[in-house]
Amino acid sequence: MADLDPKLERLATSPVFSQLGRRKLEALAPFTDDVTVPAGTVLMEEGSFPHELEVIVEGAAAIQIHGQTVKEVGPGDVIGEMALIDKSLRSATVVTTQETKLIVISGRAFTSLMEKYPEIADDLKAIAASRKEQNTDLAD
């Protein structure tokens, strides 16, 4: 996807969002914020209500279930989308292991986006369902 702005380029590198195509990425971009957090930041907690999803741009995080690290995630990985889509509680805790740059989409913005562009919602639901089947230990 040549000639995309930097935020769209970062979204396009994510396995979840890369399949959306330019028009849908352009629709998604205004709903995002760039955030940098230090190591040790809890991005989401197991059993909590979902408030956002994040795309890791730089850095890394540990996905923990019942206090045990089950997976490390890094650039291009998306965390939190499954709980937002399913409207379920978080299944894991995610803690940054180094300074991490993120693209954040709030739950409210995500819901607004899904209402405004139902085809994106359908795409993300299909992608998330596929990821869930392939990665049953991945956090939402």
Side-chain angles (χ1 to χ4, degrees):
M1 284 188 215
D3 301 324
L4 290 177
D5 78 37
K7 190 179 284 189
L8 292 179
E9 289 278 352
R10 291 190 298 270
L11 285 172
T13 64
S14 166
V16 170
F17 296 109
S18 65
Q19 301 173 44
L20 293 182
R22 183 184 185 107
R23 183 181 65 79
K24 292 176 185 174
L25 284 173
E26 288 172 343
L28 178 63
F31 292 91
T32 66
D33 291 304
D34 292 312
V35 176
T36 300
V37 297
T41 300
V42 176
L43 299 176
M44 52 196 66
E45 249 182 281
E46 187 173 0
S48 67
F49 290 101
H51 297 289
E52 72 278 324
L53 67 88
E54 290 105 2
V55 178
I56 297 176
V57 176
E58 293 177 15
I63 296 175
Q64 303 170 346
I65 297 177
H66 307 303
Q68 299 289 338
T69 298
V70 296
K71 186 172 185 169
E72 286 276 332
V73 291
D77 287 321
V78 177
I79 49 178
E81 83 287 355
M82 290 184 218
L84 282 176
I85 290 170
D86 293 346
K87 295 180 175 49
S88 61
L89 297 177
R90 302 283 187 195
S91 64
T93 297
V94 181
V95 182
T96 58
T97 56
Q98 57 186 270
E99 182 176 88
T100 303
K101 293 182 181 182
L102 305 160
I103 296 174
V104 178
I105 303 172
S106 74
R108 180 174 285 159
F110 186 78
T111 299
S112 175
L113 176 72
M114 299 302 103
E115 290 170 357
K116 187 172 182 179
Y117 301 99
E119 70 276 11
I120 294 175
D122 293 341
D123 291 346
L124 289 177
K125 286 176 184 176
I127 293 164
S130 174
R131 275 187 66 208
K132 202 171 207 177
E133 288 175 16
Q134 294 170 4
N135 300 299
T136 56
D137 64 346
L138 187 61
D140 12 88

